[in-house]
Every structure is written in C-alpha cells, then in structure tokens.
Amino acid sequence: MTQPFAVYAIRYAHREASLRGEHFYRGDARPNEPYPIDYFVWAAVSAEATVVVDAGFTPETAKRRGNRDYLRSPMDTLRELGVEARTVEHLVLTHLHYDHVGHVRDFPAAQVLVQRSEYEFWTGPFAMRGEYGRLHEPPDMTYLREQVGRGRVRLIDGDFTVVPGVTLHLLGGHTHGLQVVRVTTAAGHVVLASDASHFYENIGADRPYSIVDHLPSMYRAFDRIRELADAENLIIPGHDPLVLNRFPAAAPALAGLAARVA
Ligand SMILES: [Zn+2]
C-alpha cells in the first residue's frame, strides 16, 4: 500500500499589477479589471518520498523583470515543512517558462523530470523568436543543458510514474511539452495543473490562457485534468491567489506563504 501524500502549494511571489485582459485567450470583456497573480512551487510529501514540482524564478529575475514581489525563497518555506531542498530526490518541471525553472540549482541531489518535447522546444530553433524569447531565461536553459550532459535530467516521453502515488501526464497546449502531476492523497487524487490552468477560471469557464502553443490541446488538457482528479476542488491551478483562500495554511506561521491542499 502506498502511503498517501500531503500536498503543499508554496506561494513565493506575487504580481498585483495584473489585469484580466492578460489572462485569457483573445482577451476579456473587462480587460482592465485588476486580476492579481501568484507564483507557486508545490511539494508532495509522504513518509517514503518527497517530490517537488517546479522551481520558481529567482529574486534576481524578479528584479530584472520588475513589477513582481518576491515574497520568500521557496526553499526556506520547504525547510519549515520539513523538506531540505539539498536532499530532495525528485524535481518535476511542468514546463520551462522562466517562472518554473529558476531554482533548479538549489536542488542539487534531485533527478530533474521534464518532457523531452518541452526540453527540445526551448533548446531548439524557435526559443529566441519573438514572444518565446521573453517567456524563458536563456541562462536557465544553459544550466539545464549542462545538467542533461551530467545525466541529472530525465527526459520523458509521455506519461510517467515518479514514485508510487505520483504520476506525470503530458498534455501540452500552453507549451509544447507541458505536463501535469497527479498525486494520491487521503482526500483522493489531486492534480497539480500548473499552467494547464493558470486560474480556476480558465478550466472552470472553459477559457484557455492567453499564451498558447496549441489551442485544441488546451481544451483537451481541461478534459484530461478532470478525468485525472477525483473532484473539482482537487484541481490546483498554477497561479491563482484563491488557492491560499480555499485551503488552510500549512502551519500558522506560514499563512500567506503555504497552503496544505490535501
Ligand atoms: Zn507559470
């Protein structure tokens, strides 16, 4: 029997100056209405294994890009949850946008799990073209490429079991090789949707996000996420400030920084 996992959403950054019009494909009927965005790292923790999902952006990147409040290092919050970043064995990267891969070097013992199609896209001929150049940080890709050379990265083709109770599912849509994470918990199967649904409203209203690799795959991703999760409230979006309202703080001292979602 697999031990159920506890799942935490760790909020490490916030951008208040964010508008509805930015967050839906083809814009929104109320484009100038405020729509703040949070940035998260997630962790699935059981007695036998710890899997960290995504690696945020660094304070340096936050400063250079401006407009973003870096709240606290996700590694510091993980430590308060009993997880030492330096010893984590599994680091999943849902996709390689700048806000999901900045701290990979802070997990030096981890095998890094990323879809091959995602890795090939961001190390391929289109990565610096127009909008794509803005969506990733080339030094992050240089580091990742080195880690591939060192054998620390596992390039995955499709669905994959990280450890019993934690599985990866290739969905694409938002990026070429976006994957989501399904975790077995005491409350049922949780799906860490990451940017397959930035906000509850994307999947809830069937309205894809504005950054699109392949639109039909975004709709298919919504359907697949619903199949993978045991209940609607066990679908965790990638950037929604409501996550910290809907779930209790992971500990009293971590209010506003980490929620326990299951
Ligand atoms: Zn993101």
Side-chain angles (χ1 to χ4, degrees):
M1 242 319 261
T2 310
Q3 290 273 348
F5 283 81
V7 176
Y8 301 101
I10 295 163
R11 175 180 181 251
Y12 71 90
H14 177 73
R15 180 159 61 92
E16 186 65 27
S18 159
L19 303 172
R20 282 188 67 85
E22 300 171 42
H23 299 299
F24 299 95
Y25 178 64
R26 295 290 185 104
D28 185 77
R30 305 190 308 277
N32 296 320
E33 207 168 275
Y35 209 65
I37 179 166
D38 276 348
Y39 298 85
F40 293 96
V41 162
W42 301 270
V45 181
S46 79
E48 285 121 41
T50 295
V51 179
V52 171
V53 178
D54 285 345
F57 53 67
T58 63
E60 295 72 37
T61 295
K63 200 169 174 190
R64 186 158 27 76
R65 288 182 176 249
N67 213 1
R68 285 156 179 77
D69 298 321
Y70 193 89
L71 304 172
R72 192 194 199 199
S73 149
M75 288 75 69
D76 287 349
T77 302
L78 280 167
R79 186 173 298 120
E80 289 196 28
L81 295 170
V83 174
E84 200 56 56
R86 299 196 68 77
T87 65
V88 166
E89 290 179 0
H90 312 278
L91 175 63
V92 174
L93 301 179
T94 60
H95 62 302
L96 300 183
H97 281 167
Y98 77 95
D99 54 324
H100 297 260
V101 299
H103 285 294
V104 175
R105 67 181 74 235
D106 293 294
F107 297 85
Q111 182 176 52
V112 179
L113 299 155
V114 61
Q115 291 287 330
R116 185 186 308 277
S117 52
E118 181 72 6
Y119 176 77
E120 288 182 347
F121 183 87
W122 295 106
T123 53
F126 303 116
M128 293 310 294
R129 300 276 287 269
E131 176 78 355
Y132 291 128
R134 209 178 54 73
L135 289 170
H136 76 297
E137 292 284 330
D140 290 340
M141 292 308 109
T142 303
Y143 179 73
L144 205 57
R145 209 192 278 263
E146 284 166 18
Q147 299 307 300
V148 169
R150 289 186 49 210
R152 187 159 89 92
V153 179
R154 177 144 189 169
L155 298 174
I156 301 165
D157 299 290
D159 293 1
F160 183 81
T161 299
V162 182
V163 291
V166 181
T167 53
L168 309 180
H169 303 268
L170 170 61
L171 299 182
H174 172 60
T175 64
H176 214 59
L178 177 100
Q179 59 185 350
V180 302
V181 185
R182 185 195 209 207
V183 186
T184 305
T185 76
H189 288 113
V190 165
V191 174
L192 299 172
S194 183
D195 293 2
S197 187
H198 284 62
F199 297 91
Y200 283 109
E201 193 172 350
N202 294 114
I203 189 167
D206 205 31
R207 294 184 59 197
Y209 194 73
S210 50
I211 298 169
V212 175
D213 177 72
H214 187 252
L215 190 57
S217 299
M218 293 181 92
Y219 287 114
R220 202 181 299 125
F222 289 161
D223 296 344
R224 185 74 183 121
I225 287 166
R226 284 209 169 87
E227 287 168 10
L228 291 167
D230 279 345
E232 187 90 11
N233 69 330
L234 299 180
I235 297 169
I236 310 302
H239 287 276
D240 201 321
L242 287 174
V243 170
L244 267 77
N245 297 346
R246 293 195 181 181
F247 296 100
L254 293 175
L257 290 169
R260 179 160 177 173
V261 304

